[in-house]
Amino acid sequence: MTARIGVVTFPGSLDDRDTQRAIRLAGAEPVALWHKDKDLKQVDAVVLPGGFSYGDYLRAGAISRFSPVMESVIEQAKAGLPVLGICNGFQVLTEAHLLPGAMLGNDHLHFICRDQKLRVENAGTAWTGDYRQGQEIHIPLKNMDGRYVADAYTLDKLEAEGRVVFRYLDFNPNGSQRDIAGITNEAGNVVGLMPHPEHAVEPLIGTGRTDGLPFFTSILKKLVNA
């Protein structure tokens, strides 16, 4: 039986089709989910893709958090459904309180688009099992509101519990505290990151490498072996 991974489209989503393609390349079945529908169509996992949902009005991800589909995502994520938030999806996850902290405007106040070097800090989540702890990868990054912030207690807690999943290397592109590029919840089923793994799944696009593909093969193996 083929694993089914839902990809939510919000008004302003830019990378939903790219994400669906990455899922297909990994060997799973992508399932399109519309933001107005509560029905998750019995998917085995969900990806909240990148983009500028609702034009980033009010705050990035703040309006999408109240979309009907998010009611189901929040409920099922708390029950163990694997959820990945990429860039704007990460912002939505923090606004929905599925992940702690918040995303603010880049410290240099400019949009940034570049290939970004990362270190894998946690290879034990549902989305990172095909990586090695400490592995260095290159993933495209593009954001305006990518600065991850949290109070000192939350940051210390994330560090102590091994919940920082990715960290920026060589260059911090947005001023994120402690060079944090991605985090997970306590259960390890919800992961958010600012870089775009769906743009690094084929050698002819993105970084020219396939460093992002393990996100999608990881969840596929997790679901098959569950």
Side-chain angles (χ1 to χ4, degrees):
M1 182 176 176
T2 304
R4 291 161 45 84
I5 302 178
V7 180
V8 178
T9 297
F10 299 101
S13 293
L14 301 179
D15 301 301
D16 45 348
R17 297 298 180 90
D18 305 72
T19 303
Q20 291 176 25
R21 179 172 177 79
I23 290 168
R24 193 175 293 112
L25 286 171
E29 177 188 351
V31 178
L33 301 175
W34 184 236
H35 72 109
K36 285 188 176 181
D37 299 329
K38 291 185 180 182
D39 182 11
L40 297 185
K41 301 180 181 179
Q42 297 182 315
V43 296
D44 303 299
V46 168
V47 181
L48 306 180
F52 300 90
S53 62
Y54 291 93
D56 281 349
Y57 294 121
L58 182 62
R59 259 188 335 271
I63 301 176
S64 293
R65 175 261 180 272
F66 292 102
S67 292
V69 73
M70 285 305 298
E71 294 181 32
S72 300
V73 170
I74 292 169
E75 178 183 0
Q76 294 197 34
K78 291 179 178 178
L81 180 75
V83 178
L84 175 65
I86 302 171
C87 195
N88 188 230
F90 186 11
Q91 296 161 343
V92 174
L93 290 176
T94 60
E95 291 287 343
H97 304 297
L98 287 174
L99 292 175
M103 311 301 301
L104 300 181
N106 298 341
D107 60 351
H108 46 74
L109 303 181
H110 295 285
F111 180 84
I112 188 167
C113 181
R114 69 189 304 269
D115 291 343
Q116 179 65 47
K117 188 176 182 180
L118 306 173
R119 182 172 60 239
V120 180
E121 303 282 28
N122 183 342
T125 78
W127 298 91
T128 56
D130 271 357
Y131 291 108
R132 300 185 312 275
Q133 198 87 6
Q135 183 177 350
E136 296 181 3
I137 61 177
H138 291 79
I139 302 288
L141 175 91
K142 50 177 185 177
N143 64 70
M144 180 68 188
D145 299 288
R147 178 162 52 110
Y148 180 76
V149 298
D151 59 82
Y153 173 81
T154 298
L155 292 170
D156 289 343
K157 183 176 173 66
L158 289 172
E159 300 275 14
E161 295 178 354
R163 290 168 54 195
V164 175
V165 182
F166 296 96
R167 214 180 296 269
Y168 297 117
L169 289 183
D170 297 343
F171 172 71
N172 186 325
N174 43 41
S176 289
Q177 292 179 305
R178 304 193 189 182
D179 299 326
I180 291 174
I183 60 173
T184 184
N185 65 343
E186 293 180 4
N189 64 304
V190 179
V191 170
L193 78 159
M194 286 311 296
H196 286 260
E198 78 281 8
H199 294 327
V201 295
E202 296 178 283
L204 293 179
I205 61 171
T207 59
R209 303 163 64 148
T210 58
D211 290 1
L213 191 58
F215 274 90
F216 307 100
T217 57
S218 293
I219 189 59
L220 179 57
K221 290 180 182 178
K222 177 76 172 178
L223 294 172
V224 169
N225 295 324

